[in-house]
Amino acid sequence: EDAANQVVNTALDAFGGIDILVNSAGASQGGVFWELSDQVWQDSMDLKVMGTVRMMRAVIPGMIDRKGGRIVNIVGNTGMQPSPRLLPGASANAALLAITRGVAEDLAPHNIVVNALNPGPTRTERWTTLMDRLAESSGRTVADVERDYTEQIPMDRLASPAEMGRLAAFLASEKAANMTGACLTADGGWTKGIG
C-alpha cells in the first residue's frame, strides 16, 4: 500500500512536481467463471483497481496545489465488452471506467483532467503469453488461436504497443484540450456499441 507514495516521493525528489500520471497496471488471470477462485478476483481488483486508486490518491493533492495535471488510466476494452473467459479483468476495467469518469468531474475545477484509454488486443509480451497458453491448452497452433481474435476485429489486426503509446501521449498532452472523463477506445472497431 505504501508503494504509490514511494513512487510519488521519488518523482518529487527528482523533478519537483508531477504534471502527468499514466496508470498502466498488469493483467488479470482469466478462465472459466465457475472455476475461478476468490483469490483470482481479489488479485485482479488489487492490481488493477487499487493500484490505480492508490497512485491517483498519491498524486492528486500535489496536482491540486500546482493547479493542474493530467491523468491517463490505461484500462482495456473488456470493461465495455466483457469476454466470458476474462471476467475478473473485465470487472476491474469497468470499475476503472467508473472511477475515471467520477474523479474527472471532481477534479475539473482544479484544471486536472482524467481520461481513459481502452486498448483492444495489442501485440505485447502479455498477448504472446496468452496466445501460447491458449494454444497449448486447446491443442491448436498459436496462429489459429490468434486468428479467432483478429477475425472479430473489423480492421483484422492487432494494435502495436507504439500505437497505444501515441494515444496515451495524446491524452496526456494539451492536444487533448477540453477532454476529461472521456474514454478513448482503440481496438480496431472490435467494441460493438455506441457511446
Side-chain angles (χ1 to χ4, degrees):
E1 290 185 25
D2 294 332
N5 290 326
Q6 291 172 4
V7 168
V8 168
N9 289 335
T10 299
L12 291 174
D13 288 345
F15 305 112
I18 297 173
D19 300 305
I20 298 168
L21 169 66
V22 178
N23 285 304
S24 183
S28 298
Q29 181 181 329
V32 178
F33 174 78
W34 53 90
E35 294 175 357
L36 294 171
S37 69
D38 286 357
Q39 193 60 54
V40 168
W41 289 88
Q42 189 64 54
D43 289 347
S44 180
M45 292 297 169
D46 285 345
L47 173 68
K48 294 178 76 81
V49 177
M50 292 312 300
T52 298
V53 165
R54 289 178 182 128
M55 284 304 301
M56 289 173 64
R57 278 193 317 225
V59 302
I60 287 170
M63 287 182 171
I64 290 172
D65 289 345
R66 292 167 64 89
K67 297 180 175 35
R70 304 187 84 77
I71 298 173
V72 179
N73 294 323
I74 311 297
V75 178
N77 71 339
T78 59
M80 295 191 306
Q81 181 158 306
S83 172
R85 296 294 185 259
L86 302 173
L87 291 176
S91 300
N93 290 345
L96 287 172
L97 291 174
I99 290 165
T100 297
R101 181 66 189 105
V103 172
E105 187 173 334
D106 240 2
L107 293 178
H110 300 284
N111 194 35
I112 301 168
V113 300
V114 186
N115 290 300
L117 173 59
N118 270 357
T122 303
R123 192 171 298 286
T124 61
E125 183 179 325
R126 173 186 175 241
W127 177 264
T128 302
T129 300
L130 175 64
M131 292 298 103
D132 288 345
R133 286 181 185 160
L134 290 173
E136 184 179 329
S137 68
S138 67
R140 301 169 64 210
T141 67
V142 169
D144 286 341
V145 172
E146 188 171 284
R147 188 78 199 135
D148 288 346
Y149 285 89
T150 57
E151 284 176 347
Q152 300 172 48
I153 302 170
M155 292 185 77
D156 196 31
R157 70 176 184 86
L158 300 178
S160 74
E163 289 172 315
M164 293 304 113
R166 286 191 296 270
L167 291 172
F170 164 74
L171 289 174
S173 76
E174 293 301 322
K175 292 179 180 177
N178 207 34
M179 284 180 69
T180 194
C183 171
L184 182 60
T185 297
D187 65 1
W190 190 18
T191 300
K192 308 300 185 272
I194 300 170

